[in-house]
Amino acid sequence: MSGADVVEAVFETVAGAAPEIRESLVGRRRYEAGENPSGEQQLAADVYADELFEERLLALDGVATYASEEREDVVEGADGDYHVALDPLDGSSNVKSNNAMGTIVGVFDAPLPAGGESLVAAAYVLYGPLTTMVTLREGTVTESVVHEGERHVGTADRSLPDEPTVYGFGGRVPAWTDAFADYASEVEQELKLRYGGAMIGDVNQVLTYGGVFAYPALTTHPNGKLRRQFEGIPIGAIVEAAGGASTDGERSLLATPPEDLHERTPVFVGNRSLIERAEATLSA
Ligand code: AHG
Ligand code: MN
Ligand code: MN
């Protein structure tokens, strides 16, 4: 199978699973005993989604390994040239409050952990009022509505609006660094607050309306909360391909390969002007 065929098969599998993932949330809002490799509580729905995706993605021709934020190590499959990194449920704490959440996919042509230079495709599914899927392949960002597991293209070439409108900043305000607090107080004067507790929901607001999403380095968490491999790189790539920019505070999220599969990174994605201002303020 060609690389394009493998990517399409991964996208089809993830879209195809969307109805079952939605259904699986019912009755799986309880926390399991275990923790994920980031030391966070796991929802029963996290574990279910992770097991479902592992089985179906490793069954695809061309997919050699599967890694997820919910499991310590990379899982070896059959021979293949592609490696899939998944955040099976992003924003799973939103399941209890019935708010938006998503699935994040990165397809790499190098063994994991791998950086932006090895990313061949990325996608996210947003389980909102509708189920939608945003995909990046060959430099193009496409948004589709997912109905009964099938993608119906809505916007074939999605790009950020030139004029930013919304912002969403994570982390507790008392834990913001002085530099980030300075940046936030500027942006708050200019844009509307949209923060929903699931990166995918918040990033989709930025992709739709223009603006900036950030989960910054905190005084309590110097590398922030989000994972470079499973959240920073795929989402940074999608926003950059849509005409925006990303940074970890110093450089594009695609510029620094993860050393550890589960390492965290500060994440900023959005309109280029807002990302450049963040870098300028944080490096002042
Ligand atoms: P996940 O559920 O995959 O662990 O991701 C949750 C992340 C991300 O989706 C969101 O931006 C952030 O956690 C929210 O963190 P707070 O609860 O600290 O706001
Ligand atoms: Mn998750
Ligand atoms: Mn996540």
Side-chain angles (χ1 to χ4, degrees), residues 33-227:
E35 285 184 343
N36 69 14
S38 300
E40 295 157 348
Q41 275 194 299
Q42 286 181 311
L43 217 58
D46 282 316
V47 175
Y48 175 88
D50 181 39
E51 289 169 0
L52 180 151
F53 283 122
E54 180 215 14
E55 182 195 345
R56 295 198 187 165
L57 292 171
L58 280 181
L60 298 176
D61 281 347
V63 174
T65 66
Y66 169 89
S68 114
E69 110 187 341
E70 300 304 334
R71 55 182 75 213
E72 192 63 45
D73 301 313
V74 174
V75 182
E76 303 287 336
D79 278 350
D81 296 327
Y82 297 92
H83 306 263
V84 180
L86 213 78
D87 180 352
L89 289 188
D90 172 67
S92 49
S93 61
N94 276 357
V95 175
K96 284 185 79 171
S97 56
N98 193 25
N99 289 104
M101 37 164 284
T103 296
I104 308 173
V105 188
V107 182
F108 297 82
D109 60 8
L112 302 174
E117 75 287 348
S118 307
L119 185 76
V120 295
Y124 64 82
V125 176
L126 175 55
Y127 309 101
L130 298 177
T131 304
T132 53
M133 186 170 186
V134 170
T135 55
L136 162 61
R137 54 189 302 183
E138 286 141 28
T140 301
V141 177
T142 301
E143 181 181 32
S144 304
V145 172
V146 179
H147 179 58
E148 293 173 353
E150 294 292 325
R151 280 170 291 158
H152 301 273
V153 174
T155 310
D157 191 355
R158 178 103 248 179
S159 59
L160 250 68
D162 293 336
E163 269 313 299
T165 307
V166 299
Y167 76 95
F169 294 155
R172 301 188 49 123
V173 176
W176 285 356
T177 62
D178 292 345
F180 182 74
D182 291 345
Y183 174 70
S185 56
E186 278 179 27
V187 172
E188 284 164 352
Q189 301 303 317
E190 302 163 19
L191 305 179
K192 292 194 293 186
L193 172 59
R194 287 290 184 275
Y195 187 80
M199 177 188 193
I200 288 306
D202 298 331
V203 166
N204 205 58
Q205 290 258 19
V206 168
L207 206 57
T208 307
Y209 296 116
V212 57
F213 166 82
Y215 206 110
L218 304 173
T219 53
T220 51
H221 298 75
N223 292 318
K225 174 182 182 182
L226 301 178
R227 281 128 302 220

